[in-house]
Amino acid sequence: METSRSSSAWCCSARCWPGTCASSSSSSCLWMSARVRTLCHKPWSYIPDGIMPVFWRVVYWTSQCLTWLLLPFMQSYARSGGFSITGKIKTALIENAIYYGTYLLIFGSLLIYVAVHPELRLSWYELQTIGITAANTWGLFLLVLLLGYGLVEIPRSYWNSSRHGHLLVKTYFKASKLMTEKADAEENLEDVMEEVRKVSESIKYNHPLRKYIDTILRKCPLDYQEKMGRNMDDYEDFDDKQNTYPTEKSLVKLHKQVIYAVQRHNRTRVQWQILLQQAIHLEDVAKNETSSTHQFVHSFPSSEPAGWFSRYIYTPTVEWYWECFLKRWFYRLLSIVLTLFSVVVVWSECTFFSTRPVLSLFAIFIQLAERDYNYLYIEMACFITIFFLCTCVYSTVFRIRVFNYYYLASHHQTDAYSLQFSGMLFCRLTPPLCLNFLGLIHMDSAISHQEKLQTAYTSIMGSMRVLSFIANGFYIYYPMLIVILCIATYFSLGTRCLNLLGFQQFMDDSEMTSDLIDEGKELIRREKRKRQRIEDGENRRREWKERYGNPREDYAARNRSSHEMKETSYSDTVSSSNSRQAKYSRSGSRAERDRIELLQDAEPLDFNAEALTDDPLDAESGRHSGGRYLSMSSSRSRIFDDI
């Protein structure tokens, strides 16, 4: 009994055990509120008292300074088109004046409320609590919106991934939209480059603003730089009286447009190649599903040599079973598990304010582990719960796209502004996400209204009772809105509204969607034909090279030897010279010379895939519907027909 009491006293004297506080749950403090039934052993990861509050205070205030002060300034700085550090800083300060003014207005309103309240005294602690409450309120507002979308969309996305037909049709839809965006990006880049060319031709080498033009030119693609360099005369002096020159302010604006246009063009080009690979792979899966050999066959095998993993483990047979059979069932099982997690989260969000009886499922699970001091179980339960909540919230952040203003693209194609904006959202969402989790497991005394020892995290949050209408109203009842958001996401109400407003969205029962799917299917088919022709041409050249060697080098070597022999035979007699010349000048038969000349003329053709047609009548007549052949003549058009 004494051992149990001393152990209980030791456990209750420990402010917080480690690991859980670092994951914003402080679940090690859960032992304080339960009756001692078994011996409480010291955890292996125990952290002494007083360390975790300091750690959380540093992390919290650092993230708040980043999200509310530094990152907005860095966004404007990165997006600015200034040519100097001072100019970029000035632009960033002007753009953020309204942003910072909004903060001051919200904080001032809350400050006035506390000042006129008769029961509250204004102190530094209350001011700190007001600032934290304002930040957490804004973060909780975003949290519920993003969480309501992610709880439904993540399980549904995995379920749809198991439907290969649906996934392929949606890929066709994306291809059609991406091709339109790619064409707009190319057109925008050409317009901006044309403006840069005009400005570059008007401002000569000895003009004071020429250094700004050189900075802009370095941001342009290499092919445009070469064109502008060839069409420019750097030795022509400028005349201030005859010509009108752009101002520095207009060059700053042009610099900003160039950065945006080049980045957008590169992003759409890379995304198109990635989407093309996905579409080809999905079409290969659809073809291999009916294969009787149970071996996965790719339409365009990789040119890179296969590694040991592909040779010994991920063989074509294993790949067939995974892609055509196991993968779909794995995604379906994962979707069902995630759906159950989503249901538990929605139920707990709507009932976590009820402490008697305890209705929150997460609180019930944790309280069951409290009785036996099951430290490992509590750690794993807290980790899995927070991991699922973070996945639902943060994955929604990656899916958000506000036109081309904010967009996270894969394969390193995201601009600096969007990266910093996502960093701001992560910093703003993390503190309210931690508080929401503590409310779900009834460890936040401001919500559960129970007298418990505060966790390390809630100790730095302050008492929310300073603003009672937020602690007793907004924090408790606003998360119930997640039910309405989940229902709206399940029936795709947001997608339907955007479609009505003219934004093309993927909908199964839409005629516009069907048209875009057909267009995307044709685009993918055209790109596959183009890639097939390139691959066939490479195979033919490889076969000719293996069969006849390198005809260019052989032909050049024979010309050199013939020329040397002609020089050596020039000093001999006329008869012997003629015979030797006839001997050495014939490097082979007539057929061999014709073959060498034929291969010498067989140059690769630069063409546009849109120029080709599937109509055999057009192919025979030699007519092409659009498209430009950069290097082709009538004598070379049928060069490989007989090969």
Side-chain angles (χ1 to χ4, degrees):
M1 180 66 68
E2 292 298 330
T3 304
S4 177
R5 288 181 180 177
S6 61
S7 176
S8 174
W10 181 87
C11 291
C12 294
S13 64
R15 177 66 61 113
C16 192
W17 289 343
T20 53
C21 289
S23 62
S24 74
S25 64
S26 298
S27 60
S28 57
C29 299
L30 300 174
W31 282 269
M32 290 35 153
S33 60
R35 289 184 61 184
V36 179
R37 296 186 179 181
T38 58
L39 184 62
C40 178
H41 297 282
K42 182 178 179 180
W44 63 271
S45 58
Y46 174 74
I47 296 179
D49 190 18
I51 294 180
M52 293 307 299
V54 175
F55 170 79
W56 269 116
R57 192 171 286 110
V58 172
V59 171
Y60 178 79
W61 289 111
T62 301
S63 63
Q64 293 304 303
C65 290
L66 283 174
T67 185
W68 297 105
L69 297 176
L70 186 59
L71 284 177
F73 176 82
M74 293 176 62
Q75 275 187 301
S76 302
Y77 184 89
R79 205 176 183 87
S80 174
F83 298 99
S84 62
I85 298 178
T86 305
K88 291 184 177 181
I89 293 177
K90 182 180 178 181
T91 304
L93 290 176
I94 294 175
E95 290 182 358
N96 285 274
I98 300 177
Y99 192 73
Y100 297 137
T102 305
Y103 296 161
L104 295 177
L105 180 62
I106 296 175
F107 182 78
S109 302
L110 296 175
L111 190 64
I112 294 174
Y113 169 79
V114 175
V116 300
H117 203 283
E119 299 179 358
L120 298 177
R121 290 180 300 175
L122 203 60
S123 64
W124 171 250
Y125 178 78
E126 278 78 13
L127 289 176
Q128 178 180 339
T129 303
I130 291 173
I132 293 175
T133 303
N136 289 338
T137 302
W138 171 246
L140 184 63
F141 176 78
L142 290 177
L143 176 68
V144 173
L145 295 178
L146 300 178
L147 186 61
Y149 178 84
L151 288 174
V152 176
E153 191 60 30
I154 290 180
R156 183 164 58 185
S157 64
Y158 280 104
W159 183 266
N160 290 332
S161 298
S162 65
R163 303 163 54 196
H164 291 161
H166 173 84
L167 203 59
L168 181 58
V169 169
K170 193 172 183 178
T171 304
Y172 289 149
F173 177 83
K174 292 180 180 179
S176 179
K177 290 187 61 178
L178 185 58
M179 177 55 72
T180 303
E181 183 181 355
K182 184 173 177 288
D184 293 340
E186 292 175 352
E187 183 178 356
N188 183 34
L189 180 63
E190 291 179 358
D191 294 340
V192 174
M193 292 298 103
E194 180 64 22
E195 187 174 354
V196 171
R197 184 190 63 80
K198 293 179 180 179
V199 174
S200 178
E201 291 178 354
S202 63
I203 299 180
K204 302 305 178 181
Y205 74 100
N206 54 354
H207 194 280
L209 298 178
R210 183 62 199 182
K211 56 182 180 180
Y212 300 146
I213 298 297
D214 295 337
T215 303
I216 295 175
L217 290 176
R218 284 193 293 268
K219 303 293 179 64
C220 300
L222 294 177
D223 51 347
Y224 286 99
Q225 292 184 26
E226 295 175 357
K227 292 179 182 178
M228 295 176 189
R230 289 195 300 265
N231 298 332
M232 216 185 108
D233 187 4
D234 289 340
Y235 298 98
E236 184 178 352
D237 295 336
F238 72 95
D239 189 359
D240 293 332
K241 298 180 180 179
Q242 295 181 0
N243 299 327
T244 57
Y245 298 98
T247 61
E248 183 178 353
K249 186 176 181 180
S250 62
L251 292 180
V252 169
K253 183 179 179 180
L254 180 61
H255 187 204
K256 184 176 180 179
Q257 293 176 352
V258 168
I259 295 174
Y260 173 75
V262 172
Q263 197 278 332
R264 184 187 175 193
H265 175 262
N266 294 334
R267 184 190 69 205
T268 54
R269 181 172 52 83
V270 173
Q271 286 181 329
W272 173 253
Q273 296 298 327
I274 297 172
L275 190 62
L276 180 62
Q277 292 288 348
Q278 294 176 358
I280 294 175
H281 176 72
L282 291 174
E283 290 181 348
D284 291 343
V285 172
K287 294 178 181 178
N288 283 273
E289 285 180 347
T290 58
S291 175
S292 58
T293 59
H294 293 181
Q295 288 190 349
F296 198 90
V297 179
H298 294 272
S299 299
F300 301 97
S302 177
S303 57
E304 299 179 358
W308 66 270
F309 182 78
S310 299
R311 290 197 304 267
Y312 302 107
I313 299 178
Y314 198 63
T315 60
T317 303
V318 175
E319 185 178 3
W320 185 90
Y321 279 101
W322 168 251
E323 293 290 346
C324 302
F325 182 73
L326 297 176
K327 188 176 182 179
R328 64 173 62 185
W329 290 106
F330 172 76
Y331 279 160
R332 289 176 182 177
L333 179 62
L334 182 60
S335 176
I336 294 173
V337 173
L338 294 177
T339 302
L340 295 177
F341 266 100
S342 298
V343 173
V344 172
V345 171
V346 172
W347 172 262
S348 300
E349 289 285 356
C350 296
T351 59
F352 72 89
F353 61 89
S354 177
T355 57
R356 294 181 181 179
V358 179
L359 299 178
S360 175
L361 296 178
F362 293 114
I364 293 175
F365 296 154
I366 298 299
Q367 289 178 7
L368 290 176
E370 280 185 18
R371 301 173 184 177
D372 300 329
Y373 297 104
N374 195 333
Y375 179 76
L376 179 62
Y377 172 80
I378 292 179
E379 288 289 309
M380 295 303 298
C382 293
F383 172 78
I384 293 175
T385 305
I386 295 178
F387 179 79
F388 180 70
L389 293 175
C390 291
T391 302
C392 293
V393 174
Y394 295 154
S395 64
T396 308
V397 175
F398 286 101
R399 294 169 184 260
I400 294 176
R401 178 172 183 177
V402 185
F403 302 104
N404 289 314
Y405 180 76
Y406 167 73
Y407 179 36
L408 290 178
S410 58
H411 291 76
H412 312 286
Q413 297 303 314
T414 306
D415 59 346
Y417 185 88
S418 298
L419 287 175
Q420 291 166 354
F421 187 79
S422 63
M424 290 171 54
L425 289 180
F426 293 153
C427 291
R428 294 178 188 180
L429 292 171
T430 302
L433 180 62
C434 298
L435 283 179
N436 181 256
F437 172 75
L438 292 177
L440 293 178
I441 62 175
H442 290 178
M443 287 303 298
D444 190 356
S445 58
I447 297 177
S448 62
H449 301 286
Q450 295 177 349
E451 295 299 331
K452 289 186 177 182
L453 189 63
Q454 285 187 341
T455 62
Y457 186 73
T458 55
S459 64
I460 69 170
M461 290 290 103
S463 178
M464 297 301 173
R465 296 185 179 89
V466 177
L467 301 174
S468 59
F469 70 94
I470 293 181
N472 299 327
F474 185 79
Y475 281 177
I476 294 178
Y477 299 106
Y478 179 71
M480 296 181 185
L481 186 63
I482 198 172
V483 178
I484 301 177
L485 294 173
C486 289
I487 295 175
T489 305
Y490 179 79
F491 291 101
S492 303
L493 296 182
T495 301
R496 297 179 186 277
C497 292
L498 291 175
N499 194 48
L500 290 176
L501 294 176
F503 299 99
Q504 299 169 353
Q505 302 294 320
F506 181 78
M507 299 178 63
D508 296 330
D509 54 352
S510 175
E511 183 178 354
M512 179 63 70
T513 302
S514 301
D515 296 338
L516 292 176
I517 290 173
D518 295 337
E519 181 181 352
K521 189 174 182 179
E522 182 61 31
L523 289 172
I524 297 300
R525 186 183 295 113
R526 185 185 305 169
E527 290 293 331
K528 288 181 64 177
R529 289 199 303 264
K530 180 180 178 181
R531 180 175 294 189
Q532 186 65 46
R533 285 192 297 269
I534 295 175
E535 185 174 343
D536 292 343
E538 293 295 332
N539 293 334
R540 288 168 181 167
R541 291 182 180 87
R542 191 181 302 111
E543 291 176 0
W544 275 86
K545 186 175 181 180
E546 292 175 357
R547 182 181 301 178
Y548 299 105
N550 195 332
R552 289 176 178 268
E553 295 180 359
D554 295 344
Y555 185 74
R558 292 177 180 181
N559 284 339
R560 286 195 301 268
S561 62
S562 176
H563 181 70
E564 292 175 357
M565 292 179 180
K566 286 180 181 180
E567 291 181 350
T568 55
S569 63
Y570 182 75
S571 57
D572 296 338
T573 60
V574 176
S575 60
S576 62
S577 176
N578 291 334
S579 62
R580 290 179 182 177
Q581 238 178 357
K583 178 181 179 181
Y584 291 117
S585 60
R586 286 194 296 267
S587 58
S589 63
R590 182 179 182 84
E592 186 177 1
R593 290 198 301 270
D594 292 341
R595 179 183 63 82
I596 295 174
E597 293 175 357
L598 181 65
L599 289 175
Q600 193 176 16
D601 290 339
E603 297 294 338
L605 304 182
D606 297 329
F607 58 91
N608 189 351
E610 298 179 356
L612 298 178
T613 177
D614 294 333
D615 192 353
L617 296 178
D618 293 341
E620 292 177 2
S621 59
R623 293 174 294 161
H624 301 281
S625 58
R628 295 177 301 172
Y629 285 78
L630 302 181
S631 58
M632 189 187 76
S633 62
S634 59
S635 60
R636 304 178 186 176
S637 59
R638 303 277 182 179
I639 193 69
F640 288 111
D641 286 356
D642 298 329
I643 296 175

